[in-house]
Amino acid sequence: MKRERSLTRPLILALTTVMVVFWLAAIGLSIRVMQHEFDEIFDSAQQETTERLLALILDDMNQRSNTDPRSVAMLATAASREYLTYQVRDSSGKIVLRSNDAPAEPFDAPIRTGFHDTDAARIYTEATADGSLFLQVADRFKNRREAVRESAVTLLIPLVILIPFSIFAIWFIVGRALRPIDALRRDIATKDSGNMAEVESGDIPRELKPIARSVNLLLGRLRSALEAEREFTANSAHELRTPIAGALAQTQRLADELPPGPTQTRARQVETSLVNLGRLAEKLLQLARAEAGIGGSDTSSDLRPVLDMIVADFERDSRSQGRVHYDAAEDTTLIRNADMDAFGIVTRNLIENALVHGDKDGPVSVSLADNGVLRVINEGPVLREMDIATLKKRFRRGKTSASGSGLGLAIADRIVSQMGGTLELLSPASGSDSGFEARITLPA
């Protein structure tokens, strides 16, 4: 199953990525600035150290008669590794004195005052006043790189900690920002032919108001179209009932007066067609009422008397030939928030559907359980799942030669959904290996 795209996830990813990129860019710029500033600090310290060290060395050399470089170097030996190394050279370039860590070979730097860079160090040269001696102090580049590297790591550590907290903070902020969109989506999702009320646009942000306004305009046009359709269907069905009833009565009288023969047979065929047309007009009238949303009710009513009355009508009807079997305990009630007339339409359609499309010689069982579940079961062959899935659609019929309009189950399902219940179609029927079952469950 393909996963639906999310708006929150790309936003979190994009914002986090942009934040990290900007942070890294800021760190890179900071490292460049720090490197420049560190170079200035190290250069200043190196120059100052060289000047002070030169004065000390000259003073020490003047006080000592023994000027052996190694003895002086041993006196200047540091307890740990020297960050700065130096060499004292004469005007010819010969080393007169050097520190313990300084190389025995002269530095690869010219004997003139100022800075000079080699591959491994930065060297500063300072001369005595008479120009006879030159002090060269070397500062290794790895010392400076180590300082810059430690500073960069110090800046990167907060970024590692910041990323998960940033993702959570962005998710929280984006979720709050998208909450009005989600509320608008849920409000729009509730709209169907039974709920065409306008979308609430009072508290939504102004960026979403054009969407809500467009949806409300569309809903208004849909309401007008649906109301026109329902009005036309209801008026047409209502207006057709009287002429159809009159034509049916005249046809029945004519068929009774005609002698047996082909003419009487054709009259009986016309009578059957008019009966079917009358049923279609009645179904269209029920459909118009179902589309108007008659199923729900704010008050609770006991629907058991309605069910008893509908079953009694079918039991008295000669066309059902005693096929309807009713099973319900005397003390069983069906108190639900539903319209009684709408419930009567549902039960009548389900029983008619079972009588017409079930086995002609088989019984139709109508039962009401103690938990309020209503079942209508008829005999017949097992239907395929793909056929059952289409039975609730308008003007859809299963594989049957019986007359009908294909509206009964669609009307029943529509009204039951308005009551907040469910209409389940099962084949085979529960507890059997054949037959068809319509099961209604209404919320208590």
Side-chain angles (χ1 to χ4, degrees):
M1 184 176 179
K2 187 177 179 181
R3 188 173 183 178
E4 294 183 353
R5 293 183 58 187
S6 171
L7 185 62
T8 305
R9 197 172 177 183
L11 277 176
I12 295 175
L13 181 62
L15 292 175
T16 305
T17 303
V18 170
M19 185 205 66
V20 171
V21 169
F22 276 116
W23 187 280
L24 292 176
I27 291 177
L29 181 61
S30 300
I31 292 174
R32 293 294 299 273
V33 173
M34 283 191 301
Q35 187 174 13
H36 177 72
E37 294 297 327
F38 282 170
D39 286 341
E40 290 183 353
I41 295 172
F42 279 117
D43 288 347
S44 177
Q46 186 178 1
Q47 183 177 353
E48 184 177 355
T49 301
T50 304
E51 293 173 351
R52 294 185 179 224
L53 184 61
L54 179 60
L56 293 173
I57 290 176
L58 288 175
D59 183 66
D60 186 74
M61 291 179 68
N62 291 332
Q63 292 180 5
R64 292 174 178 274
S65 57
N66 185 8
T67 58
D68 179 58
R70 292 188 176 276
S71 63
V72 175
M74 290 301 295
L75 293 175
T77 300
S80 60
R81 182 174 64 89
E82 296 175 341
Y83 285 93
L84 295 176
T85 59
Y86 65 88
Q87 292 177 349
V88 179
R89 301 167 65 181
D90 58 18
S91 58
S92 64
K94 181 181 178 181
I95 298 176
V96 178
L97 185 68
R98 66 182 176 89
S99 63
N100 188 52
D101 284 352
E105 297 296 327
F107 289 138
D108 185 16
I111 305 177
R112 64 172 182 268
T113 302
F115 286 97
H116 179 77
D117 293 339
T118 65
D119 293 338
R122 184 171 175 83
I123 301 173
Y124 180 72
T125 303
E126 183 69 30
T128 58
D130 57 1
S132 61
L133 293 177
F134 296 87
L135 175 61
Q136 292 183 323
V137 178
D139 183 11
R140 286 182 287 268
F141 285 130
K142 68 176 184 179
N143 296 329
R144 302 190 177 197
R145 289 194 292 266
E146 182 180 357
V148 174
R149 184 169 56 252
E150 290 178 355
S151 301
V153 171
T154 303
L155 292 175
L156 285 172
I157 290 176
L159 178 62
V160 176
I161 301 174
L162 184 64
I163 288 177
F165 285 100
S166 299
I167 293 175
F168 175 77
I170 292 173
W171 171 80
F172 179 75
I173 295 172
V174 170
R176 286 179 61 90
L178 296 180
R179 192 173 299 168
I181 298 179
D182 190 53
L184 181 62
R185 176 192 61 81
R186 290 195 302 268
D187 196 5
I188 294 175
T190 60
K191 307 305 175 185
D192 55 20
S193 58
N195 178 16
M196 302 294 290
E198 290 188 352
V199 173
E200 294 291 338
S201 59
D203 296 333
I204 64 176
R206 59 185 178 87
E207 290 84 1
L208 299 179
K209 286 186 181 296
I211 299 177
R213 189 180 305 112
S214 299
V215 171
N216 287 334
L217 290 175
L218 178 60
L219 289 174
R221 289 195 291 268
L222 286 175
R223 278 197 304 270
S224 300
L226 288 174
E227 288 173 1
E229 178 186 352
R230 292 167 184 167
E231 185 177 358
F232 173 77
T233 303
N235 291 338
S236 300
H238 182 73
E239 294 297 331
L240 286 173
R241 293 172 69 183
T242 301
I244 290 174
L248 178 60
Q250 294 296 328
T251 302
Q252 290 173 341
R253 182 176 179 182
L254 177 62
D256 291 337
E257 293 177 353
L258 288 173
T263 304
Q264 188 186 53
T265 302
R266 284 195 295 271
R268 294 298 182 188
Q269 292 174 350
V270 173
E271 177 187 0
T272 302
S273 299
L274 289 173
V275 170
N276 293 334
L277 183 58
R279 290 177 179 172
L280 177 59
E282 183 66 26
K283 294 299 181 185
L284 291 175
L285 188 59
Q286 292 179 1
L287 179 62
R289 296 183 64 189
E291 292 295 335
I294 64 171
S297 177
D298 296 332
T299 59
S300 299
S301 304
D302 189 2
L303 305 178
R304 170 65 185 276
V306 178
L307 178 62
D308 294 343
M309 182 183 65
I310 298 297
V311 172
D313 289 342
F314 279 103
E315 289 175 342
R316 289 192 297 266
D317 193 341
S318 59
R319 292 174 295 182
S320 63
Q321 300 175 353
R323 294 170 54 196
V324 178
H325 297 170
Y326 187 35
D327 181 19
E330 294 184 0
D331 57 346
T332 302
T333 59
L334 187 59
I335 301 176
R336 298 291 187 273
N337 288 350
D339 184 79
M340 301 181 70
D341 292 338
F343 182 74
I345 293 175
V346 171
T347 54
R348 186 174 293 277
N349 281 334
L350 293 181
I351 297 174
E352 282 183 356
N353 185 79
L355 289 170
V356 172
H357 300 289
D359 190 347
K360 300 299 181 182
D361 299 326
V364 172
S365 174
V366 180
S367 63
L368 179 62
D370 294 336
N371 58 1
V373 177
L374 174 63
R375 292 181 174 86
V376 179
I377 303 174
N378 61 269
E379 298 293 335
V382 177
L383 301 181
R384 298 180 301 175
E385 290 186 5
M386 58 183 301
D387 293 333
I388 295 176
T390 63
L391 292 179
K392 293 181 182 180
K393 298 181 180 180
R394 298 178 185 179
F395 303 104
R396 295 292 184 89
R397 304 176 61 204
K399 295 182 179 180
T400 177
S401 59
S403 60
S405 59
L407 288 173
L409 291 177
I411 293 171
D413 181 64
R414 180 64 180 168
I415 295 177
V416 169
S417 64
Q418 292 170 4
M419 296 176 180
T422 57
L423 172 61
E424 299 177 82
L425 304 181
L426 307 174
S427 183
S430 56
S432 176
D433 55 358
S434 62
F436 180 83
E437 177 181 348
R439 181 187 302 170
I440 296 178
T441 305
L442 298 178

